[in-house]
Amino acid sequence: MTMPKKSSVELENELFKSVYDKTPDYVKNLCLMDFSDKNEFIFTLKKEHLAPYDKDKNPEGLNLKEWFANYAKEAKVSTAGIRGPQNILYPQDTRFPINLVGIVLATLAKALVAKEKYKGKDILKVAGREVRYNSELFLDAIARIQAANGIKTLVPVEKKTIPIWLASFLAFKLDLIGGEYITSSHGISVKNATKDLNSQGSQYLPEESLEFVDKIQEIFDKTEKNGSYEIKVAAADNPLIDEKIMAKLNDGVDLYVEYLQSGVAKKINLDLIKNFKGKIVIENVGGSAYRTLSRVLKKLDISDKVDWFNTEEDPFFRSIGKYDITPKGEHAFYDYSVDATVVAKRLSGEKFFPVIETLHYDEKLKNYPVGTVVLITDPDHDRLTITQTEKASRAEFLKANGIDFVPLDNEKILTVFTANQAFLMLMDFWAKQLKVQGLWNKHPRFIIKTTASASSWDEWAKKNSVNVVNVPVGFKEIANIMKKVELQLKNSPDKDVVVDDVFGKSINLGKNPRLLFGGEESGGMIMGTEELISSLAGRKAVAMREKSATEAIIVASALISQIGKKPLSECLRELFEDNDIISKFDTRVDIAYYNESEPDIEKLKLAKIEGEKKRTKNDLFYLSMAMGVKKGLMSIENVREVLNDAFKSLIFDNLDEIKFVGDGTYLKFAHKYIEIRPSGTDAKTKAYGGGSNKEMIETYANVLGNYSGERTELHKKFISDEFYESTKEEAMKYYLDFVEKDANNEQFVIPEYNFCLLYTSDAADDK
């Protein structure tokens, strides 16, 4: 049996060979459903498929029960779609979390839920993808399963790529019941996921995911009872798979440009960019940005100000972040993802940026002048990292101001701004632009941020009379607050809008407020508009529901154009001084408990299970104390006592608060914060910090994040075994109360669709 894929890239071939060698023959020989068959066909789910494979006793076993148990568990806690590794060569391999059978089952379940909710109605959804392995196959499967169940799916011509924010925008703007998007954000190449979008264009909240998870269980129950369950797959040319609408809408680019022009792409910003004398570089990383963003920039008449890197779409992401040696020094394929902000350590102990190293900017930026800004987006084009070349002589200045950098040559370095630093500059710049336009005082302003994001954002907001709403990690949490605000604007337009943040504080946003900024430290942001955004059917929104690197790129380009030759690092320093910001420094430590790139799925599963145990143990050590304080089982003095005893090298005497913040534990000190958060999608712990001393927050984040979670005698003195075991359940109740309080649960009503008014005569047909 020959390997089904070959690459011209040696490292990618190494990956293929590794996957091929680790895939058993029974998986290689699977032919459950053939989507190359363009005719309608039936996939029969058998009782045998639910049980494990056994060569003699159950040769048709797919172990779907185990797959489903893990899928359902992740649906309850996922912050960004249900994601995981896949077999990139054999997508029907159900040993992996993401596989063709699972995609088909989840799609069918969502379709059945929608049909029950909207009985007798025309149901429309949008479906899109980025560039990952098997994404085109999964998109085809989703569209054909939905068509077989009477659901019309809008897809780009030839099912080409669009960014996640465009799928989200269209779900809201066109009043669709939602959408499906295939991506794993900036994750490693072998990962994939489906992001489920609701009628708002927002990612599903856990209760929405559980509806279709329950439906999969129903399908399994019927399969067990009857021995089989037939799943109909529509023909590829079924009229319910609609490319024509997206072609006429130019994939929604024209509508999105109109939206941008009502917000960040106003004349005041576009004029700055048009008058810029140099070039801004946009790094596409082989992802989906170029195909859409290039059209947006052309319509805004600013495309001549941009140079592009890595525009060719590639599931291996142009080898970015890929190495043939692991962090432990072993010779094997290793993927650091395409997150440009990832910091790793060499065997020598030296810190380095593995993703940026593989972007080869020492060569690519050689002929660009000092001061050139490179805006790095990710494969689904929703996140942004801002970097800039500076003179090597400024290294000490950058160190003093907590700004990371990478040497390029003897004369040039590349500054790498964290999203905390970059987005602070962008929100400050846009606030000033609103003031110049005379718009600032027409509405009270507020921002929505995740607790893990910089406390400098809170300090800046306080200085500028901007309210802050803190939420758990995940853009769906930001969208949930938007919807709560909009419900009050609709029902009580003359009253103050009041919402609770995840710390339990009630925040009065004032009358008829406007969102200045919504964002998170992981590189995703959105900005609001002056006039509420309106869907075709008249639904109103303060901002869109998904982070957009396009919005970030336009605001960043305007700022870069305005400051001319002044380095962004100097702007950041001035911003700190002008706004009396104390918490100038931030950090994030990612603790991975296993090698995600391991090609042997059985080893990977075992390693992940062991890693999850370590992640949970670390989490529960802090979370149980946060919930213990909340329940009156211990005081903050007791917490200080426990932590001082557990961590002899650290001091906790000035710890003011310990709180559960929806998905992690937040420790607030006098001049710093540390948040310890278990990943909702993987066996990882994330430790965040912000404060006035970079070395100190890095030390605390590293020590607390890497702690084994072993309970000390003092910990046991205050937290009983019974309470410790029930902590997660208690925390989930608190989180759901936060989500549901004043929630906008208005039932979505499917309108009478008429897209003809939106079509423009010059809309491209995308061929």
Side-chain angles (χ1 to χ4, degrees):
M1 194 180 295
T2 57
M3 194 155 56
K5 282 185 181 175
K6 286 275 176 134
S7 172
S8 58
V9 178
E10 186 180 339
L11 197 54
E12 188 174 27
N13 272 329
E14 187 175 319
L15 171 62
F16 289 161
K17 184 178 185 307
S18 183
V19 172
Y20 181 83
D21 290 345
K22 301 292 184 183
T23 304
D25 286 343
Y26 83 89
V27 171
K28 292 174 182 173
N29 293 324
L30 276 176
C31 190
L32 299 165
M33 42 191 136
D34 180 10
F35 278 89
S36 66
D37 180 355
K38 300 305 178 186
N39 299 309
E40 181 182 301
F41 65 88
I42 299 287
F43 164 54
T44 302
L45 180 68
K46 298 178 182 178
K47 185 177 180 179
E48 289 80 3
H49 291 153
L50 306 183
Y53 170 81
D54 185 288
K55 184 180 178 183
D56 300 313
K57 295 177 183 177
N58 191 23
E60 291 189 281
L62 298 176
N63 206 12
L64 287 176
K65 279 188 180 177
E66 183 183 296
W67 163 81
F68 178 59
N70 291 322
Y71 190 86
K73 183 175 75 172
E74 188 162 320
K76 293 176 184 177
V77 297
S78 178
T79 58
I82 299 166
R83 67 173 77 172
Q86 60 169 332
N87 188 320
I88 60 175
L89 299 181
Y90 301 96
Q92 298 188 57
D93 190 347
T94 55
R95 300 174 307 148
F96 286 78
I98 302 300
N99 62 80
L100 183 60
V101 181
I103 297 283
V104 165
L105 286 167
T107 304
L108 174 61
K110 281 173 264 191
L112 294 174
V113 169
K115 285 168 71 178
E116 288 174 7
K117 279 188 178 179
Y118 304 105
K119 199 168 285 184
K121 294 284 188 179
D122 291 333
I123 300 174
L124 271 70
K125 295 182 79 171
V126 64
R129 68 172 182 92
E130 40 124 324
V131 303
R132 290 175 180 274
Y133 296 111
N134 300 313
S135 292
E136 200 166 352
L137 168 65
F138 294 159
L139 181 55
D140 185 40
I142 287 168
R144 291 172 72 177
I145 292 292
Q146 290 184 166
N149 284 275
I151 295 174
K152 178 179 275 195
T153 308
L154 310 186
V155 293
V157 173
E158 298 174 5
K159 300 185 181 70
K160 289 183 179 178
T161 62
I162 55 173
I164 175 64
W165 50 258
L166 190 50
S168 168
F169 172 77
L170 289 170
F172 176 84
K173 186 70 178 178
L174 302 181
D175 299 293
L176 311 178
I177 74 152
E180 300 285 333
Y181 191 84
I182 300 153
T183 180
S184 192
S185 191
H186 51 252
I188 64 174
S189 279
V190 297
K191 274 192 167 184
N192 214 335
T194 50
K195 281 191 179 179
D196 310 307
L197 303 174
N198 60 24
S199 61
Q200 291 275 343
S202 175
Q203 293 171 36
Y204 277 18
L205 290 165
E207 59 266 31
E208 292 173 299
S209 295
L210 292 180
E211 286 182 326
F212 77 81
V213 165
D214 290 343
K215 191 61 71 175
I216 297 175
Q217 186 62 59
E218 279 183 37
I219 293 168
F220 280 14
D221 291 344
K222 288 179 181 177
T223 306
E224 291 253 49
K225 182 181 177 183
N226 302 322
S228 64
Y229 184 100
E230 289 193 345
I231 299 173
K232 189 176 173 184
V233 179
D237 61 356
N238 187 296
L240 289 175
I241 302 170
D242 193 321
E243 296 183 0
K244 292 177 183 175
I245 289 175
M246 289 286 274
K248 289 177 179 176
L249 292 176
N250 193 18
D251 285 343
V253 166
D254 303 336
L255 288 171
Y256 194 75
V257 167
E258 283 179 23
Y259 155 69
L260 290 174
Q261 288 170 328
S262 69
V264 297
K266 285 180 179 288
K267 187 175 185 296
I268 190 170
N269 278 351
L270 292 181
D271 284 351
L272 284 171
I273 300 168
K274 287 174 183 177
N275 291 323
F276 184 57
K277 302 302 181 191
K279 289 279 190 180
I280 295 166
V281 176
I282 299 178
E283 172 62 75
N284 186 68
V285 300
S288 67
Y290 177 74
R291 185 174 171 272
T292 295
L293 180 56
S294 59
R295 287 184 280 168
V296 170
L297 298 180
K298 187 175 181 181
K299 280 199 162 287
L300 293 173
D301 195 26
I302 54 175
S303 57
D304 61 320
K305 302 300 176 183
V306 168
D307 280 351
W308 286 88
F309 289 167
N310 291 310
T311 58
E312 187 181 340
E313 294 183 352
D314 174 24
F316 199 60
F317 306 135
R318 323 299 296 155
S319 300
I320 295 164
K322 316 293 189 291
Y323 287 77
D324 61 1
I325 190 167
T326 73
K328 293 180 179 178
E330 302 154 334
H331 180 76
F333 174 77
Y334 194 86
D335 194 340
Y336 286 95
S337 84
V338 285
D339 181 351
T341 63
V342 167
V343 178
K345 277 188 179 179
R346 302 190 197 277
L347 290 174
S348 64
E350 175 198 359
K351 284 185 179 180
F352 76 115
F353 285 86
V355 175
I356 288 179
E357 184 174 85
T358 53
L359 287 165
H360 305 298
Y361 286 164
D362 52 342
E363 285 296 321
K364 287 189 171 182
L365 294 174
K366 188 177 285 184
N367 297 321
Y368 282 85
V370 170
T372 296
V373 172
V374 185
L375 304 175
I376 307 170
T377 186
D378 65 340
D380 61 349
H381 188 36
D382 60 354
R383 298 170 193 263
L384 187 70
T385 298
I386 298 180
T387 67
Q388 184 178 32
T389 58
E390 292 198 37
K391 292 178 181 176
S393 59
R394 286 180 57 80
E396 291 307 313
F397 169 87
L398 296 173
K399 286 178 187 174
N401 286 278
I403 301 167
D404 290 318
F405 61 89
V406 176
L408 294 179
D409 56 37
N410 291 332
E411 296 177 355
K412 275 197 295 199
I413 54 181
L414 183 77
T415 56
V416 184
F417 295 97
T418 66
N420 284 327
Q421 296 166 334
F423 291 172
L424 181 62
M425 289 189 279
L426 297 191
M427 71 177 86
D428 180 72
F429 168 74
W430 185 230
K432 288 172 179 172
Q433 292 293 79
L434 289 171
K435 289 171 184 175
V436 169
Q437 296 172 85
L439 298 171
W440 182 256
N441 293 323
K442 291 194 173 183
H443 299 279
R445 307 288 167 174
F446 70 103
I447 68 173
I448 309 171
K449 61 177 280 285
T450 57
T451 55
S453 301
S455 46
S456 60
W457 295 4
D458 300 80
E459 291 184 47
W460 176 89
K462 185 177 181 181
K463 178 76 173 180
N464 289 274
S465 302
V466 173
N467 283 300
V468 182
V469 185
N470 276 282
V471 298
V473 169
F475 227 80
K476 64 186 177 188
E477 307 289 352
I478 293 171
N480 196 36
I481 295 295
M482 291 182 203
K483 290 184 282 184
K484 291 182 181 185
V485 170
E486 290 151 9
L487 184 66
Q488 294 182 51
L489 288 174
K490 179 182 175 183
N491 293 340
S492 307
D494 297 323
K495 291 185 178 178
D496 286 0
V497 172
V498 180
V499 293
D500 282 11
D501 70 4
V502 76
F503 290 120
K505 296 176 187 172
S506 286
I507 316 291
N508 188 327
L509 305 180
K511 289 184 179 66
N512 203 15
R514 289 294 181 268
L515 180 74
L516 174 71
F517 171 90
E520 51 187 353
E521 62 74 41
S522 57
M525 60 156 277
I526 201 84
M527 285 181 166
T529 53
E530 288 303 290
E531 298 301 320
L532 295 179
I533 304 154
S534 183
S535 74
L536 288 187
R539 294 185 297 161
K540 302 292 183 183
V542 294
M544 283 295 91
R545 312 312 195 191
E546 266 296 337
K547 48 193 176 284
S548 167
T550 287
E551 285 200 35
I553 283 168
I554 288 169
V555 182
S557 298
L559 169 60
I560 293 155
S561 302
Q562 186 189 69
I563 62 175
K565 293 186 178 180
K566 182 194 289 187
L568 284 166
S569 57
E570 190 63 42
C571 290
L572 183 63
R573 183 193 64 79
E574 290 174 3
L575 193 161
F576 285 152
E577 288 184 0
D578 294 345
N579 293 276
D580 304 321
I581 289 172
I582 296 169
S583 300
K584 298 176 183 178
F585 305 101
D586 62 87
T587 191
R588 185 186 79 204
V589 181
D590 292 345
I591 299 107
Y593 296 106
Y594 73 118
N595 176 9
E596 288 183 274
S597 303
E598 170 57 57
D600 186 325
I601 186 59
E602 298 308 327
K603 274 188 186 176
L604 192 71
K605 281 181 182 176
L606 290 173
K608 186 178 181 183
I609 289 167
E610 289 305 307
E612 284 173 342
K613 288 177 186 174
K614 293 177 182 177
R615 175 199 68 187
T616 301
K617 201 171 175 183
N618 172 277
D619 174 40
L620 282 176
F621 182 77
Y622 308 108
L623 179 61
S624 58
M625 289 191 286
M627 295 305 294
V629 170
K630 187 170 181 60
K631 296 286 186 180
L633 300 178
M634 60 192 305
S635 66
I636 192 66
E637 289 81 8
N638 300 145
V639 175
R640 291 180 195 138
E641 190 182 352
V642 171
L643 293 174
N644 277 323
D645 174 66
F647 303 102
K648 307 291 188 188
S649 62
L650 305 178
I651 298 170
F652 293 88
D653 296 346
N654 63 348
L655 177 68
D656 294 331
E657 293 179 281
I658 182 169
K659 288 195 172 185
F660 170 59
V661 287
D663 58 355
T665 303
Y666 191 93
L667 295 94
K668 184 178 182 298
F669 298 80
H671 295 300
K672 64 178 176 288
Y673 84 90
I674 301 293
E675 180 173 340
I676 307 299
R677 175 181 161 263
S679 168
T681 56
D682 221 329
K684 291 180 180 178
T685 291
K686 293 177 183 284
Y688 309 86
S692 57
N693 183 305
K694 189 172 177 68
E695 186 180 349
M696 184 177 289
I697 60 172
E698 285 181 343
T699 300
Y700 274 74
N702 269 296
V703 172
L704 298 183
N706 280 286
Y707 183 56
S708 68
E710 198 64 41
R711 297 180 68 199
T712 61
E713 290 306 311
L714 263 180
H715 190 279
K716 292 175 184 176
K717 174 184 170 184
F718 297 108
I719 303 295
S720 69
D721 291 348
E722 185 183 3
F723 186 80
Y724 179 81
E725 294 299 330
S726 66
T727 293
K728 273 288 190 186
E729 192 178 327
E730 287 296 317
M732 180 57 74
K733 287 178 191 172
Y734 173 79
Y735 164 70
L736 291 175
D737 286 344
F738 160 72
V739 170
E740 284 301 320
K741 186 177 180 188
D742 303 319
N744 185 345
N745 292 323
E746 286 189 317
Q747 184 67 39
F748 174 66
V749 178
I750 294 179
E752 293 293 325
Y753 291 111
N754 182 5
F755 299 141
C756 297
L757 297 174
L758 296 174
Y759 301 157
T760 57
S761 58
D762 62 344
D765 72 355
D766 196 30
K767 286 190 178 179

